[in-house]
Amino acid sequence: MKYQSIYVLLFIVAFLVTIIVIPWVKEIGVHYKLLDFPDNRKSKYHIPKVRIGGVAFFISYLSGIFLLLISSYFNKSIILDKNFLFLIIVISTGFFGIGFADDIYSLPPIRRLFLQYILAAFISIKGFKIEYIDLSFLRSSLNSIYIPDLLSIFLTSTWIVGIINCINWIDGLDGLAAGCSLIMFITLFLISYLKNQFIVSIISLIFSAICLGFLRFNFKPAKILMGDGGSYLLGFLLAYLTILSGSDSAKGLDLRVPVLILFYPLVDMFAVILNRLKNKRLPIYPDKKHFHHRIQKVVNNEALTVSILYFITILPCIILLSFY
């Protein structure tokens, strides 16, 4: 395996930093009372938990990137596009910042959505756009679709904002969002590695390690929650990396990559939005109509509900990997 040592090193470091930092983050959260308290969507038996676990994500992420840069300095065979890497770090920091601000100050939904769109539009204008959609896998006469520039910026921005909120919405049971994200990042790593997309594979592996380390504290009964800071960071990187991994300079975006990797959160989001619109409610306001609410109501077991949703996440990822 090319770069085997750096992959192993970054995975171990990201995992260890996560499990070392989380207890410290938890102490800070308890001290400043940054807790997730019961509301009308939570059980009356809900125990308040620290909601700033995303800080550990961010610290581990930066630690992994720093180690990557140090490694590339001493090992000249590791070639990095530093401008590309810098842009990813800046934008992901911005989305983490929006989520973390919400964890601290409970921002209004409209303000959060506005800030998300501003940041998503910025990275789209800087060059990250869905310009061509590859349809060759359909074996039709139409091999690709061109998307005009302004429409491309709008669609790409909406994709980023949508996936960020997808991941945030599935973060409703202990271990659910982190476990599903682990599955999705592992799939991303395998695909990007096979396609020789070094930075995509590295970031995917780092976040696989982060999610795995976080699950040690987030499985039921969870000791800490990732909060909006964590879910926004995961959501942005999943939105960004699935498009990068699914894109080919000659053909465009293969929709199978983002759609199958993110199948469960995407279907959950569309089902919830349609239900809210049907009931004449704005989609940005929460309810108890997500798949995890519905399944738990039927099986009456949180761990079983999470296991079912892990399976629903894994299955399309396995189908996708069978194409490679």
Side-chain angles (χ1 to χ4, degrees):
M1 179 186 286
K2 191 176 181 182
Y3 303 131
Q4 180 178 12
S5 60
I6 189 64
Y7 282 125
V8 172
L9 180 61
L10 287 173
F11 184 90
I12 292 172
V13 168
F15 176 79
L16 290 177
V17 170
T18 303
I19 62 174
I20 290 170
V21 167
I22 284 177
W24 171 72
V25 171
K26 184 183 175 187
E27 286 185 17
I28 292 176
V30 170
H31 179 77
Y32 289 101
K33 295 183 173 56
L34 301 173
L35 306 174
D36 178 62
F37 290 100
D39 58 26
N40 61 355
R41 293 185 302 131
K42 298 182 178 73
S43 164
K44 64 181 179 180
Y45 303 109
H46 176 83
I47 299 172
K49 300 162 189 168
V50 171
R51 64 172 185 262
I52 58 168
V55 173
F57 287 26
F58 189 64
I59 292 172
S60 301
Y61 170 44
L62 292 186
S63 299
I65 295 299
F66 179 73
L67 182 57
L68 174 63
L69 291 171
I70 294 296
S71 300
S72 68
Y73 179 80
F74 289 104
N75 185 350
K76 300 305 179 183
S77 68
I78 300 175
I79 301 172
L80 297 176
D81 183 341
K82 291 185 172 62
N83 291 330
F84 171 59
L85 188 59
F86 178 74
L87 182 62
I88 295 177
I89 294 169
V90 169
I91 301 301
S92 56
T93 298
F95 281 112
F96 166 74
I98 295 170
F100 184 65
D102 185 49
D103 290 330
I104 302 298
Y105 302 110
S106 298
L107 304 178
I110 294 293
R111 186 178 302 176
R112 294 200 308 265
L113 195 64
F114 174 75
L115 292 173
Q116 290 169 8
Y117 258 107
I118 291 295
L119 203 52
F122 173 77
I123 193 171
S124 299
I125 292 168
K126 293 294 287 183
F128 174 69
K129 291 178 291 187
I130 305 170
E131 296 182 288
Y132 288 90
I133 296 177
D134 177 20
L135 300 176
S136 60
F137 64 90
L138 296 175
R139 303 290 190 268
S140 66
S141 57
L142 185 63
N143 286 326
S144 65
I145 297 176
Y146 170 70
I147 302 175
D149 195 53
L150 287 178
L151 180 58
S152 174
I153 291 173
F154 172 74
L155 288 177
T156 307
S157 301
T158 300
W159 167 259
I160 292 171
V161 172
I163 298 305
I164 285 171
N165 287 284
C166 271
I167 302 303
N168 181 253
W169 285 1
I170 67 170
D171 186 27
L173 298 178
D174 292 349
L176 180 56
C180 291
S181 296
L182 171 62
I183 294 164
M184 293 185 279
F185 276 117
I186 289 173
T187 307
L188 259 174
F189 166 71
L190 293 172
I191 291 173
S192 56
Y193 176 76
L194 291 171
K195 296 178 72 172
N196 295 314
Q197 298 172 318
F198 181 61
I199 291 181
V200 176
S201 65
I202 282 291
I203 295 176
S204 300
L205 191 68
I206 287 173
F207 272 90
S208 298
I210 290 171
C211 290
L212 184 63
F214 183 70
L215 280 171
R216 184 174 181 272
F217 302 88
N218 189 239
F219 271 131
K220 185 176 177 64
K223 300 175 180 65
I224 189 170
L225 305 176
M226 67 173 69
D228 285 356
S231 65
Y232 285 17
L233 182 59
L234 294 180
F236 165 68
L237 288 168
L238 284 167
Y240 191 57
L241 299 180
T242 51
I243 297 301
L244 288 177
S245 186
S247 296
D248 183 286
S249 57
K251 297 180 179 180
L253 173 64
D254 182 346
L255 285 175
R256 293 176 298 180
V257 175
V259 169
L260 289 176
I261 290 177
L262 292 157
F263 180 80
Y264 156 50
L266 279 172
V267 173
D268 179 73
M269 179 183 71
F270 282 118
V272 167
I273 288 175
L274 288 174
N275 183 73
R276 290 175 186 174
L277 292 175
K278 179 182 175 182
N279 291 297
K280 298 180 180 180
R281 299 181 67 248
L282 287 176
I284 59 174
Y285 291 101
D287 57 26
K288 296 184 71 172
K289 300 296 183 181
H290 291 282
F291 285 166
H292 58 266
H293 292 128
R294 295 174 183 268
I295 295 172
Q296 188 176 14
K297 188 175 181 180
V298 173
V299 302
N300 196 31
N301 185 303
E302 184 170 331
L304 179 57
T305 300
V306 171
S307 298
I308 291 169
L309 291 169
Y310 282 176
F311 177 76
I312 292 173
T313 304
I314 289 171
L315 190 57
C317 290
I318 292 173
I319 293 170
L320 176 62
L321 289 170
S322 70
F323 298 137
Y324 286 85

